[in-house]
Amino acid sequence: SIKMDLLHSNGVLIIQHLQRDYRAYQDFLNFMSHVGDPRNIFSIYFPLWFQLNQVVGTKMIWVAVIGDWFNLIFKWILFGHRPYWWVQETMIYPNQSSPCLEQFPITCETGPGSPSGHAMGSSCVWYVMVTAALSYTVRWKDKLAVTLHRLTWSFLWSIFWIIQISVCISRVFIATHFPHQVILGVFAGILVAEAFEHTPAIQTASLRMYIKTNLFLFIFALGFYLSLKLLDIDLLWSVPKAKKWCANPDWINIDTTPFAGLVRNLGALFGLGLGINSEMFITSCKGKNSRKLSFRILCIAASLATLQLYNFVKIPTHTEYLFYILSFCKSAAMPLTVVALVPYCVHSLMKTTEKKLN
């Protein structure tokens, strides 16, 4: 406990330093925090990659969902505090002179702080993207191509680490994580992504396998929560702390609670399984049009545009259980739209156009 308090107090000094000396970069750091938001995986990265390479897109969803599930379990095990409430409750500072940490609209996460979900989600999905891009260049054999591959390797991994470091700094800057929490998140995300580099079975998974995986993840997480609750250990201990010490009550969002993330991810995985095993996917993405560049570009544009409309769909938060059910449905609709609905509509449109031209 003393060592952890010392680690936390050193982290607070780093946060104060960032908030004092990097004030000019506040907008950029807030932007990088949004870049690391796991929800961007489903609304931006996945639509782009799935239409370019279905194997990579499928892997991306699996990595994001399993990674975030492990993040939830780790959070429940590690009981990590967040800086913005820890400085208010710790007894390490004399005469109750706790440091003043500035809060922002995205500071007041309600779940435990270790490891960082943003850092973990960002590292795992960018690891998938970088390794996928490099897989195209590793096949080059001649001397010039090998040199180009090495340059590409250096460039892409440099970009990877620049993004991860920026996301980590941004999360520390807004006082929602201690430095050790974001570092742990980055390396945990890389481990999850690397594990899926050696798991080809996900590419041929049936709808039954998707449903079984969803049920296992949900039952394990719920069982873990209820088992500890029977032992009088409340895994939602962080929510009251967030509500008590957040500078603005309006910044508290139910979408950041542990179970909200679980439901969101289970919905996304179910939607992917439903889409990949649908007739619309087989008709559109396995047909002759799927090999056309114009088909893929139209699918990317239509998917990104359609998913942005989902942002305007606001789920009511007055009833918690209703929120979870609707959140699951909304999350399932997003990959289903990308995988089946949009490609099928684009396929039908191109087919109609070809008939008219003939």
Side-chain angles (χ1 to χ4, degrees):
S1 178
I2 295 175
K3 289 182 178 179
M4 189 57 67
D5 281 342
L6 183 61
L7 187 63
H8 284 159
S9 62
N10 288 333
V12 168
L13 292 176
I14 293 174
I15 296 170
Q16 288 181 306
H17 168 69
L18 290 174
Q19 291 188 345
R20 181 181 66 250
D21 298 338
Y22 287 80
R23 175 67 56 191
Y25 304 100
Q26 177 180 331
D27 292 339
F28 170 74
L29 292 172
N30 285 335
F31 170 74
M32 289 308 301
S33 189
H34 286 295
V35 168
D37 193 330
R39 285 170 288 196
N40 289 332
I41 299 170
F42 308 120
S43 61
I44 299 176
Y45 304 138
F46 171 67
L48 283 169
W49 273 97
F50 187 83
Q51 306 303 345
L52 295 174
N53 188 315
Q54 293 170 11
V55 172
V56 178
T58 301
K59 186 192 299 181
M60 188 176 292
I61 291 291
W62 276 89
V63 166
V65 170
I66 301 301
D68 210 48
W69 182 83
F70 273 116
N71 182 263
L72 172 64
I73 301 301
F74 288 154
K75 283 180 184 294
W76 279 347
I77 292 173
L78 297 176
F79 282 80
H81 290 274
R82 294 185 184 271
Y84 75 91
W85 76 57
W86 181 83
V87 294
Q88 304 292 341
E89 298 189 344
T90 182
M91 302 300 293
I92 196 173
Y93 299 106
N95 302 322
Q96 300 297 317
S97 57
S98 58
C100 180
L101 298 182
E102 183 175 355
Q103 296 183 24
F104 303 87
I106 55 176
T107 294
C108 299
E109 299 268 352
T110 57
S114 187
S116 166
H118 280 63
M120 192 168 174
S122 176
S123 65
C124 71
V125 74
W126 278 93
Y127 188 93
V128 169
M129 290 192 287
V130 169
T131 53
L134 289 175
S135 67
Y136 289 102
T137 63
V138 75
R139 303 167 190 158
W140 300 341
K141 299 299 182 183
D142 59 88
K143 189 174 181 179
L144 180 62
V146 170
T147 302
L148 184 59
H149 167 71
R150 289 173 179 171
L151 290 173
T152 306
W153 187 95
S154 299
F155 174 75
L156 289 180
W157 284 117
S158 296
I159 294 296
F160 171 85
W161 284 110
I162 288 171
I163 290 174
Q164 303 322 310
I165 291 170
S166 298
V167 169
C168 289
I169 291 175
S170 72
R171 301 301 288 170
V172 174
F173 174 84
I174 63 174
T176 200
H177 284 295
F178 291 102
H180 70 277
Q181 295 173 344
V182 293
I183 293 171
L184 179 60
V186 168
F187 287 102
I190 291 174
L191 287 175
V192 171
E194 180 59 29
F196 275 89
E197 291 293 316
H198 311 285
T199 315
I202 60 174
Q203 301 299 334
T204 56
S206 63
L207 180 58
R208 177 174 292 184
M209 179 57 68
Y210 277 91
I211 294 174
K212 285 182 177 179
T213 304
N214 256 14
L215 287 174
F216 170 78
L217 296 178
F218 177 73
I219 291 172
F220 186 96
L222 184 61
F224 187 72
Y225 169 78
L226 293 176
S227 298
L228 290 184
K229 193 169 185 179
L230 289 175
L231 298 174
D232 204 27
I233 300 174
D234 183 15
L235 292 180
L236 299 181
W237 60 273
S238 60
V239 178
K241 290 182 181 294
K243 291 180 178 179
K244 180 178 180 180
W245 297 113
C246 185
N248 187 337
D250 294 335
W251 294 348
I252 296 290
N253 193 337
I254 190 175
D255 201 30
T256 66
T257 58
F259 278 111
L262 176 65
V263 169
R264 182 171 60 245
N265 288 308
L266 294 182
L269 189 63
F270 176 72
L272 175 66
L274 198 62
I276 284 181
N277 291 280
S278 68
E279 285 297 324
M280 287 189 292
F281 171 76
I282 295 171
T283 301
S284 55
C285 294
K286 296 296 183 181
K288 62 178 183 178
N289 278 334
S290 63
R291 294 185 289 271
K292 295 179 180 178
L293 181 61
S294 57
F295 173 80
R296 295 185 179 188
I297 292 175
L298 283 172
C299 284
I300 290 173
S303 296
L304 288 173
T306 305
L307 292 186
Q308 297 314 306
L309 297 177
Y310 281 98
N311 293 330
F312 295 101
V313 179
K314 301 300 180 183
I315 300 175
T317 58
H318 57 275
T319 305
E320 194 170 353
Y321 293 112
L322 178 63
F323 171 83
Y324 290 146
I325 293 171
L326 294 179
S327 180
F328 179 89
C329 294
K330 180 181 176 180
S331 299
M334 295 176 75
L336 182 62
T337 299
V338 173
V339 171
L341 297 178
V342 166
Y344 185 77
C345 292
V346 172
H347 168 77
S348 301
L349 180 63
M350 292 180 71
K351 192 175 180 180
T352 303
T353 305
E354 287 174 0
K355 284 183 179 179
K356 288 182 178 180
L357 292 175
N358 293 332

